[in-house]
Amino acid sequence: MQASADRIFTAIGALLVIGIIAAAGLLLRMPLNDLRYATALSGTPGTFSAAHCTTVPSGRGTSLSCTGTFVATDGGFTDRAAHLIDGRITLGEPISLQRESDGSYVRPLASGAALDLAGVFAIVSGAGFLLVLVCAGWSSKVSVSGGLPLRLNRRPGGKVLPLLGWLYVGSGAAAVLSAVAGVAIAIAGH
């Protein structure tokens, strides 16, 4: 009876681990996709010159909604009806942009890249935390040879919990540091 319950508990734990890793992988696609554009690793590089701007409400403040011309750096593409919402646009002054695959535009900024990186680390940290919870619960229930709980096992499997703990704590610290760096860079205006 106990062996059957241990197998069910192990199967549930394995499904939870697979689910956590799969969910983290799906969530990581969002900040990693944004990070590619913010670091100018993806997209079509070019310059945008605003021809007409209007002030639009944005959250608690306002932002500029500008239309103008985007010219690809290689000269192979020109969009004369490009639209961008950004508070730091000056009429007629060209700015560097990346054209995304969906036709929208993004400014490759270090602050945006740092905040996207903070998102990546936060997702990894959250997944690590959930894995620590699952493994801690699993290790207190499941016994290995000799009747020792997994957390007391000196075999390589017994080292998983501390490694996941370091992953959780390290990624959390990296997320906080990246977020602070992103905010500091944004305040500095880069």
Side-chain angles (χ1 to χ4, degrees):
M1 186 72 152
Q2 180 63 27
S4 162
D6 282 347
R7 276 189 235 137
I8 290 172
F9 191 73
T10 301
I12 291 171
L15 288 174
L16 281 172
V17 167
I18 291 169
I20 290 167
I21 292 171
L26 288 173
L27 288 173
L28 280 172
R29 293 178 62 201
M30 293 181 292
L32 286 176
N33 189 36
D34 290 345
L35 182 65
R36 288 189 352 235
Y37 289 109
T39 56
L41 294 175
S42 288
T44 305
T47 56
F48 173 79
S49 295
H52 177 71
C53 294
T54 58
T55 304
V56 294
S58 174
R60 292 184 177 174
T62 60
S63 192
L64 287 177
S65 174
C66 298
T67 55
T69 304
F70 173 82
V71 178
T73 302
D74 64 3
F77 177 76
T78 301
D79 181 3
R80 297 191 192 293
H83 185 290
L84 182 68
I85 296 177
D86 192 337
R88 295 179 275 179
I89 297 175
T90 305
L91 281 174
E93 184 178 314
I95 59 171
S96 295
L97 290 181
Q98 293 290 116
R99 185 172 196 266
E100 295 182 352
S101 59
D102 65 357
S104 59
Y105 297 94
V106 65
R107 289 180 88 169
L109 296 171
S111 61
L115 293 174
D116 290 334
L117 198 56
V120 168
F121 285 127
I123 291 169
V124 171
S125 179
F129 175 71
L130 292 175
L131 290 171
V132 164
L133 290 178
V134 169
C135 288
W138 185 42
S139 68
S140 66
K141 299 283 184 194
V142 176
S143 324
V144 293
S145 62
L148 289 174
L150 181 61
R151 69 176 176 269
L152 299 176
N153 185 7
R154 298 291 179 222
R155 294 182 184 162
K159 294 182 181 177
V160 171
L161 195 55
L163 289 175
L164 288 174
W166 281 107
L167 174 72
Y168 155 59
V169 171
S171 297
V176 170
L177 290 174
S178 296
V180 168
V183 170
I185 291 169
I187 290 171
H190 298 295

